[in-house]
Amino acid sequence: MDYQGTISRGVRAPIIRQGDDLVKITVDCVCNAAEQGGYLLQDRDVVAVTEAVLARSQGNYATIDQIAADVQEKFGDETVGLVLPIFSRNRFSMVLKGIAKGTKKLIVQLSYPSDEVGNSFVTYEQLMEKNVNPYTDVFTGDEFHTIFGDVRHTFTGVDYIDYYEKTANCQVILANNPCEILKHTKYVINADIHTRARTKAALLKAGAEKVVSLDEILTHSVNGSGYNEQYGVLGSNLATESSVKLFPKDAQKFVDELQAEFLRRTGKNIECMVYGDGAFKDPVGGIWELADPVAAPAYTKGLEGKPNEIKLKYLADNDLAELSGEEAVEAMKDIIRHKEGDLVNNIKSQGTTPRQLTDLLASLADLTSGSGDKGTPIILIQNYFKNFSM
């Protein structure tokens, strides 16, 4: 039996700077790591590079002033409502400052008890205790504090109501229906990520004069800024106290060039991808992590699709219940080798949760690299496409 299954390795890299040849650096680092670790690269290995270093190598940054200029151009002197932002200093504080600077007056509507990705400041049990209906009840920041008292984030210890009020010098209300903002202004920026199309449609249907989503801010260069044609300022991160690093542009060009360079240098067909936040839920805090608009903004063609897998546990307890030892192993391998090409709605695949391969791989890469000081923005994943029969 081949005892080696999926292996995910963090690969260290130098500090990437604007203008660096990230294709060359990535291939050098992966090849050096393989030589140092005493393992070989194989066809269908996956090399994943974090979006952060790609954007940094591109110099894809924007300042508060550049964000403000784009917002000002879009809204002029209108009072603007900002609805459903996530609660994050890293993800949103600089964007908030830019939006506030680009408007004459800003009103921020926060959701409760948590934001879109699960950052919470109160619990559903507290809502029940205080007889608060999250579907209908609307509060000012002061009213919310009066009812609930300490509303600091479980992990960061930040009171985001107070933090956003002071950061943007704005009025804050708390409500979960985005159309509540229309009682204050008909000009809106909807800051939600994965529900942005639905929110924008609801606001326009309810009478908003103009609605701009975050993926429509900085879709082109403004006063020399970076930009992202598809995602705007979605997926951005704090860079300095006056700027953000945007989601990388031209990511597909990068992964295609990276795959070609691996083939030239190693003779192996390596699948390549750029990854951002993985999609996994923290069981304690309830945060499900995916603050980027997508988990994988670019990937080579071999990573398209979903797994087509049989549930070994089901087969072991049913079809092969009377077998054991080498006989069970060989029988399992035979079933896998002859499995149907599409196992959707097949009892043998129940519980395998066939998500997109790129979402699964991005989550694995994100968990492997972490978000701190491991220094491994490149991930090498091996044997991912091997099954028990191989």
Side-chain angles (χ1 to χ4, degrees):
M1 180 183 292
D2 184 350
Y3 287 93
Q4 296 209 57
T6 298
I7 302 166
S8 182
R9 292 183 170 97
V11 177
R12 289 183 177 166
I15 304 302
I16 306 300
R17 297 299 185 192
Q18 182 175 350
D20 285 349
D21 185 346
L22 190 58
V23 168
K24 181 180 184 303
I25 290 172
T26 300
V27 176
D28 285 347
C29 289
V30 171
C31 290
N32 290 341
E35 182 179 358
Q36 187 181 70
Y39 54 86
L40 298 175
L41 298 178
Q42 308 163 20
D43 287 327
R44 298 219 77 190
D45 283 353
V46 178
V47 170
V49 180
T50 179
E51 56 83 21
V53 295
L54 177 57
R56 189 182 301 133
S57 72
Q58 296 171 339
N60 203 25
Y61 293 85
T63 66
I64 290 172
D65 288 342
Q66 289 164 336
I67 295 171
D70 199 14
V71 172
Q72 170 67 29
E73 191 277 329
K74 287 175 167 60
F75 288 99
D77 290 332
E78 301 292 345
T79 295
V80 175
L82 174 70
V83 299
L84 309 182
I86 62 172
F87 311 146
S88 173
R89 292 165 295 177
N90 172 50
R91 287 288 188 173
F92 199 67
S93 61
M94 292 302 109
V95 174
L96 176 60
K97 287 181 179 180
I99 291 171
K101 190 169 185 178
T103 57
K104 180 177 69 173
K105 181 180 179 181
L106 183 66
I107 302 168
V108 176
Q109 178 181 325
L110 304 179
S111 59
Y112 71 91
S114 67
D115 69 5
E116 178 185 359
V117 296
N119 291 296
S120 61
F121 40 60
V122 294
T123 66
Y124 279 98
E125 288 75 15
Q126 287 174 289
L127 298 184
M128 292 172 62
E129 179 185 339
K130 301 294 184 180
N131 293 318
V132 169
N133 185 340
Y135 299 101
T136 58
D137 293 350
V138 179
F139 305 98
T140 65
D142 287 342
E143 289 170 342
F144 204 82
H145 280 117
T146 298
I147 294 171
F148 293 103
D150 186 353
V151 294
R152 288 176 295 179
H153 188 280
T154 304
F155 294 146
T156 67
V158 174
D159 180 334
Y160 282 97
I161 299 173
D162 181 65
Y163 180 74
Y164 280 13
E165 281 180 338
K166 291 178 179 176
T167 296
N169 190 27
C170 65
Q171 175 187 350
V172 168
I173 63 172
L174 292 101
N176 289 316
N177 181 350
C179 298
E180 183 68 28
I181 198 69
L182 300 180
K183 296 177 181 177
H184 303 268
T185 177
K186 303 296 184 184
Y187 298 86
V188 184
I189 297 173
N190 67 297
D192 48 339
I193 305 164
H194 307 291
T195 55
R196 61 188 182 276
R198 184 174 71 219
T199 298
K200 183 174 184 178
L203 286 162
L204 290 170
K205 184 177 181 180
E209 292 288 333
K210 186 173 189 178
V211 183
V212 173
S213 302
L214 292 186
D215 61 0
E216 298 172 299
I217 297 173
L218 291 189
T219 56
H220 61 279
S221 182
V222 175
N223 300 334
S225 73
Y227 63 94
N228 188 296
E229 291 181 347
Q230 186 173 5
Y231 297 117
V233 295
L234 280 181
S236 62
N237 286 271
L238 183 148
T240 71
E241 291 305 311
S242 61
S243 66
V244 295
K245 175 188 60 58
L246 301 171
F247 220 42
K249 54 189 177 182
D250 301 324
Q252 190 61 47
K253 178 174 181 287
F254 168 75
V255 296
D256 290 340
E257 291 179 353
L258 184 59
Q259 185 178 53
E261 183 64 11
F262 268 117
L263 183 61
R264 188 187 72 81
R265 289 270 297 272
T266 69
K268 301 298 181 182
N269 181 34
I270 308 293
E271 302 294 349
C272 301
M273 66 184 295
V274 175
Y275 71 97
D277 276 345
F280 42 85
K281 186 171 181 177
D282 180 86
V284 176
I287 302 168
W288 64 281
E289 193 67 21
L290 186 57
D292 286 324
V294 290
Y299 45 87
T300 49
K301 289 187 179 298
L303 298 180
E304 294 175 351
K306 302 176 182 178
N308 186 55
E309 298 177 337
I310 288 173
K311 193 73 167 181
L312 263 65
K313 291 187 292 184
Y314 175 82
L315 294 175
D317 289 339
N318 290 274
D319 299 48
L320 308 181
E322 304 302 319
L323 304 180
S324 61
E326 188 63 25
E327 189 178 11
V329 168
E330 290 305 316
M332 186 74 79
K333 289 182 178 180
D334 187 66
I335 292 173
I336 294 171
R337 291 188 186 108
H338 296 93
K339 65 185 177 183
E340 294 90 333
D342 185 356
L343 290 165
V344 173
N345 203 29
N346 188 314
I347 189 67
K348 294 179 181 179
S349 69
Q350 66 175 347
T352 57
T353 315
R355 294 161 55 192
Q356 295 292 334
L357 286 167
T358 49
D359 292 337
L360 292 163
L361 287 162
S363 298
L364 176 58
D366 191 25
L367 284 167
T368 303
S369 63
S371 58
D373 56 9
K374 286 186 173 63
T376 55
I378 303 165
I379 305 299
L380 172 64
I381 300 169
Q382 296 189 295
N383 302 338
Y384 191 81
F385 296 100
K386 287 177 64 176
N387 61 41
F388 189 71
S389 71
M390 296 176 179

